[in-house]
Amino acid sequence: MEEPRPPTWGRGPPRPGLPFPRRCCAGKRAREHVTELADNLSDTLKKLKITAVDRTEDSLEGCLDCLLQALAQNNMETSEKIQGSGILQLFASLLIPQSSCTAKVANIIAEVAKNEFMRIPCVDAGLISPLVQLLNSKDQEVLLQTGRALGNICYDSHEGRSAVDQAGGAQIVIDHLRSLCSITDPANEKLLTVFCGMLMNYSNENDSLQAQLINMGVIPTLVKLLGIHCQNAALTEMCLVAFGNLAELESSKEQFASTNIAEELVKLFKKQIEHDKREMIFEVLAPLAENDAIKLQLVEAGLVECLLEIVQQKVDSDKEDDIAELKTASDLMVLLLLGDESMQKLFEGGKGNVFQRVLSWIPSNNHQLQLAGALAIANFARNDGNCIHMVDNGIVEKLMDLLDRHVEDGNVTVQHAALSALRNLAIPVVNKAKMLSAGVTEAVLKFLKSEMPPVQFKLLGTLRMLIDAQEAAEQLGKNVKLVERLVEWCEAKDHAGVMGESNRLLSALIRHSKSKDVIKTIVQSGGVKHLVTMATSEHVIMQNEALVALALIAALELGTAEKDLESAKLVQILHRLLEDERSAPEIKYNSMVLICALMGSESLHKEVQDLAFLDVVSKLRSHENKSVAQQASLTEQRLTVDS
């Protein structure tokens, strides 16, 4: 059954450079060099070229401190001078594990790589391979600055990511995250944050690199990190951004479902007071909640209670943030109901607290809650038991009241949602008569003038579900305004759904009413040609419905419809359907029934004779389907007698 799906949230914008300050541990001698060289960057760069070759540690450290000072004062200008000096190529030789200056060199690279124009030069200077090698260091400061450097080079840079990928940097970082995961001291948490950020910049909006990280098993590691370090705001935020990126990939959902991500996110959500922090968690929850297994886990972890509480808190607020949060919470609530198990768990036989709270949204004055309430009912109405219970307990009247409030200049999304709910509720046979007597058709027909295709589509579907009964079909089929609108919508080529549903409803009115008056109304409104076209549909069910309706027209009102059937080239279409080996058995069967019915018209009879139907029909006498073979024999006899 087609179900309305609420909007989902896309991934957030990429985060610029990692938010970690450079660290400088210069001693007294280094500070003296900073003072001497701060005003003369060019001299520092020249001196650095010499000291880089001589490897004089004290002089080298002083030059590096001066560069860091200059970068802190004016990063972009200093970076441009570093690029122009050709010093980047020298840095590759300075990135050696045993040097005391290594961390500062990596720090400088991290700072210059905050500038977009410096990332490719860093790659071209051959810095990636030695930086990745430094990820094997035991020195925490070296690891920290190396992670920053690689993360900033990767940010929004295909060349940077590709180089890190080729050097195997991602796997080493993931291994570090696993081994350091349980250590909770501040320095380690800072390092973990940098490594998470590096992986985020490495894979952001790149499906193949995200898939690579997923295959390396990053998801269970990040979930474990979130659980252990939930008190650390920076690390928690980095984990959430990483989750938001990875959760967009369908291949990630299975891994997420095998962890306790639902429990951790709900636990974290309950602690948040700030809107921005809750919004970050929402951005992770929405893509995850598209997976049915995770939907159920989130329900069991208590997310629904959190969402209901937010709705209650924000419903009367006119603040922009509160309105946005109300929408997000109620939309997510509807998304959770798209899963069969999660939906049934929340329905609780129609007596559950969640179901009752959602019901209370429908008469609300808040359009967002009206929408979410109607969509929720549409999703609860996905099996006969739920539908029967809801109709017996007055939900139809609530939905009709809601529709009444949106007839004139109403909210289109609310109209669409309420009609979706009524359509689903009308599917069980026992509900149809109850809904008809409640006045649903009258309520729905008020929207005939709607020019919005989504509303038109659901209106048509609701009516089609309701008219199984002959009396209802006859009453609607004689409604000239309805039939004329259906004929108009049968030509809505820009909206295939509306066009298809209009055709199906026209056919249903004839098939269920079997009424001459209904057929006359449809013929006079120009509906016959659309039913003939419907017989050529790519969908067998629609072809069959059209052929049965046309057979009834031919049997009951052939004289009235004769000219329309002729001008629509029905006989030629039937000939093609019988000749076509791909035609389903029921299509062949009903085409032959229709041919026999058309023989009562002189002009159509002549067309049948001219097209040599006997040859086609006689071949079908040996058809593997017994019903088709028998009908072929009968049709052949009829054609022979009348020839």
Side-chain angles (χ1 to χ4, degrees):
M1 184 187 306
E2 176 204 330
E3 286 305 322
R5 289 178 65 85
T8 55
W9 295 255
R11 67 189 86 191
R15 301 280 171 133
L18 300 176
F20 303 104
R22 65 177 184 81
R23 295 180 61 188
C24 184
C25 307
K28 184 178 178 186
R29 185 182 177 90
R31 284 196 294 274
E32 289 168 359
H33 279 286
V34 170
T35 305
E36 292 166 13
L37 299 171
D39 295 331
N40 199 332
L41 183 57
S42 298
D43 286 350
T44 302
L45 291 169
K46 286 175 189 172
K47 187 166 185 179
L48 185 55
K49 285 184 181 179
I50 298 165
T51 53
V53 176
D54 295 346
R55 298 287 172 91
T56 313
E57 292 282 325
D58 279 355
S59 297
L60 183 59
E61 194 166 341
C63 290
L64 296 174
D65 282 334
C66 189
L67 280 185
L68 285 167
Q69 186 72 22
L71 284 162
Q73 289 172 359
N74 191 328
N75 191 307
M76 184 179 287
E77 188 180 321
T78 304
S79 295
E80 286 171 347
K81 289 185 177 176
I82 288 172
Q83 184 186 10
S85 71
I87 206 79
L88 276 180
Q89 284 75 7
L90 286 177
F91 284 166
S93 64
L94 298 177
L95 291 168
I96 47 178
Q98 58 269 35
S99 169
S100 62
C101 297
T102 301
K104 288 183 181 177
V105 177
N107 191 351
I108 290 168
I109 296 168
E111 290 299 313
V112 300
K114 286 180 176 179
N115 301 287
E116 185 182 353
F117 65 86
M118 289 299 290
R119 290 170 198 147
I120 292 177
C122 285
V123 175
D124 293 343
L127 299 181
I128 299 299
S129 184
L131 281 169
V132 169
Q133 290 303 311
L134 285 178
L135 288 172
N136 296 306
S137 171
K138 304 294 181 192
D139 185 307
Q140 197 167 49
E141 181 66 14
V142 170
L143 288 174
L144 183 81
Q145 300 303 342
T146 302
R148 289 184 65 237
L150 288 169
N152 287 354
I153 290 170
C154 284
Y155 175 70
D156 208 16
S157 167
H158 169 72
E159 293 78 8
R161 292 168 179 177
S162 182
V164 173
D165 179 22
Q166 288 169 21
Q171 185 65 67
I172 301 172
V173 171
I174 290 174
D175 291 342
H176 274 307
L177 289 176
R178 282 198 194 102
S179 62
L180 300 172
C181 183
S182 301
I183 304 169
T184 56
D185 67 80
N188 186 65
E189 288 189 324
K190 181 177 270 190
L191 180 58
L192 290 170
T193 307
V194 166
F195 280 158
C196 284
M198 179 257 163
L199 291 179
M200 180 192 73
N201 282 1
Y202 170 72
S203 65
N204 189 48
E205 294 191 337
N206 185 308
D207 288 356
S208 63
L209 292 180
Q210 288 175 356
Q212 179 196 78
L213 295 183
I214 291 165
N215 290 335
M216 289 176 179
V218 74
I219 288 172
T221 304
L222 289 173
V223 174
K224 191 176 176 185
L225 268 180
L226 182 67
I228 294 171
H229 301 275
C230 58
Q231 302 301 325
N232 185 298
L235 182 49
T236 296
E237 182 173 332
M238 207 57 80
C239 284
L240 288 172
V241 176
F243 289 148
N245 287 343
L246 295 170
E248 295 289 338
L249 246 66
E250 199 54 44
S251 59
S252 73
K253 307 286 170 62
E254 199 172 316
Q255 267 201 37
F256 274 118
S258 68
T259 70
N260 64 333
I261 182 72
E263 187 184 329
E264 293 296 350
L265 288 174
V266 173
K267 192 170 26 169
L268 187 65
F269 191 87
K270 287 176 178 175
K271 294 177 186 172
Q272 303 308 319
I273 308 167
E274 296 172 40
H275 168 79
D276 289 350
K277 295 287 171 62
R278 286 207 293 242
E279 189 177 21
M280 281 193 75
I281 301 171
F282 274 137
E283 285 177 359
V284 180
L285 287 169
L288 286 179
E290 290 173 9
N291 176 274
D292 282 358
I294 299 175
K295 282 183 180 77
L296 185 59
Q297 292 170 10
L298 289 168
V299 167
E300 289 173 341
L303 178 61
V304 172
E305 288 73 16
C306 298
L307 299 176
L308 290 172
E309 192 176 333
I310 287 174
V311 168
Q312 193 170 348
Q313 290 170 356
K314 311 294 181 184
V315 66
D316 296 321
S317 173
D318 54 4
K319 290 182 185 172
E320 197 174 323
D321 281 353
D322 289 345
I323 293 167
E325 197 164 1
L326 173 75
K327 177 177 177 5
T328 305
S330 54
D331 281 345
L332 186 51
M333 180 80 199
V334 173
L335 185 56
L336 292 174
L337 293 172
L338 284 169
D340 288 338
E341 284 187 81
S342 53
M343 176 273 289
Q344 207 57 41
K345 187 175 182 66
L346 293 172
F347 189 66
E348 291 185 88
K351 295 178 171 56
N353 174 51
V354 173
F355 175 67
Q356 295 302 326
R357 291 277 289 277
V358 166
L359 273 187
S360 72
W361 294 355
I362 293 174
S364 158
N365 290 320
N366 183 300
H367 282 186
Q368 175 57 33
L369 284 192
Q370 292 172 0
L371 169 64
L375 285 172
I377 297 304
N379 286 322
F380 280 126
R382 287 214 310 281
N383 64 55
D384 284 4
N386 291 4
C387 289
I388 293 165
H389 176 88
M390 286 192 281
V391 169
D392 286 346
N393 284 273
I395 191 63
V396 169
E397 288 73 16
K398 286 185 171 66
L399 289 167
M400 288 197 302
D401 287 345
L402 178 59
L403 279 173
D404 268 346
R405 295 164 70 183
H406 289 275
V407 173
E408 298 298 328
D409 303 318
N411 183 297
V412 172
T413 55
V414 175
Q415 293 171 359
H416 177 262
L419 289 167
S420 295
L422 287 171
R423 176 196 176 277
N424 289 359
L425 290 166
I427 291 172
V429 175
V430 296
N431 280 358
K432 297 181 194 296
K434 294 172 187 174
M435 291 177 70
L436 286 167
S437 63
V440 171
T441 50
E442 292 79 3
V444 169
L445 286 171
K446 291 175 185 175
F447 294 90
L448 262 185
K449 58 188 175 184
S450 173
E451 295 301 329
M452 304 305 295
V455 174
Q456 295 167 355
F457 180 72
K458 290 299 178 184
L459 175 155
L460 292 163
T462 306
L463 290 176
R464 189 166 61 81
M465 286 297 128
L466 283 170
I467 60 162
D468 278 8
Q470 186 170 359
E471 186 183 341
E474 189 164 1
Q475 187 181 348
L476 281 175
K478 290 191 286 189
N479 182 326
V480 176
K481 283 186 179 176
L482 169 63
V483 173
E484 286 177 347
R485 196 70 161 131
L486 292 181
V487 170
E488 181 188 334
W489 288 339
C490 282
E491 296 175 1
K493 290 185 172 54
D494 292 339
H495 304 286
V498 172
M499 189 165 71
E501 277 291 344
S502 298
N503 278 299
R504 293 190 76 186
L505 184 51
L506 269 184
S507 164
L509 290 171
I510 294 169
R511 288 182 293 111
H512 294 305
S513 72
K514 299 179 178 61
S515 159
K516 288 189 171 195
D517 289 338
V518 169
I519 291 171
K520 283 177 185 173
T521 305
I522 290 172
V523 172
Q524 287 161 8
S525 301
V528 170
K529 64 181 178 182
H530 298 299
L531 291 171
V532 174
T533 303
M534 183 181 168
T536 66
S537 168
E538 59 187 8
H539 304 291
V540 173
I541 190 167
M542 288 180 67
Q543 280 186 291
N544 211 41
E545 288 172 358
L547 290 169
V548 172
L550 288 165
L552 283 166
I553 290 173
L556 297 173
E557 279 294 329
L558 183 56
T560 309
E562 183 180 44
K563 286 183 180 176
D564 288 346
L565 294 171
E566 199 174 338
S567 62
K569 297 189 165 35
L570 173 62
V571 173
Q572 291 91 322
I573 286 168
L574 293 173
H575 192 269
R576 282 205 305 274
L577 290 175
L578 289 173
E579 263 192 328
D580 192 343
E581 291 179 4
R582 294 167 300 176
S583 291
E586 59 267 40
I587 301 305
K588 290 185 183 295
Y589 178 90
N590 283 319
S591 294
M592 288 187 283
V593 169
L594 182 49
I595 285 292
C596 293
L598 294 177
M599 300 300 279
S601 158
E602 190 177 332
S603 57
L604 293 169
H605 183 177
K606 185 174 184 307
E607 284 189 27
V608 171
Q609 284 181 319
D610 291 346
L611 278 173
F613 266 82
L614 264 173
D615 296 343
V616 182
V617 171
S618 61
K619 289 177 187 173
L620 293 174
R621 284 171 55 196
S622 57
H623 196 278
E624 60 186 1
N625 182 289
K626 286 182 181 178
S627 297
V628 172
Q630 286 171 0
Q631 185 58 42
S633 295
L634 292 171
T635 306
E636 187 180 38
Q637 288 170 24
R638 180 69 191 273
L639 291 172
T640 307
V641 168
D642 291 343
S643 62

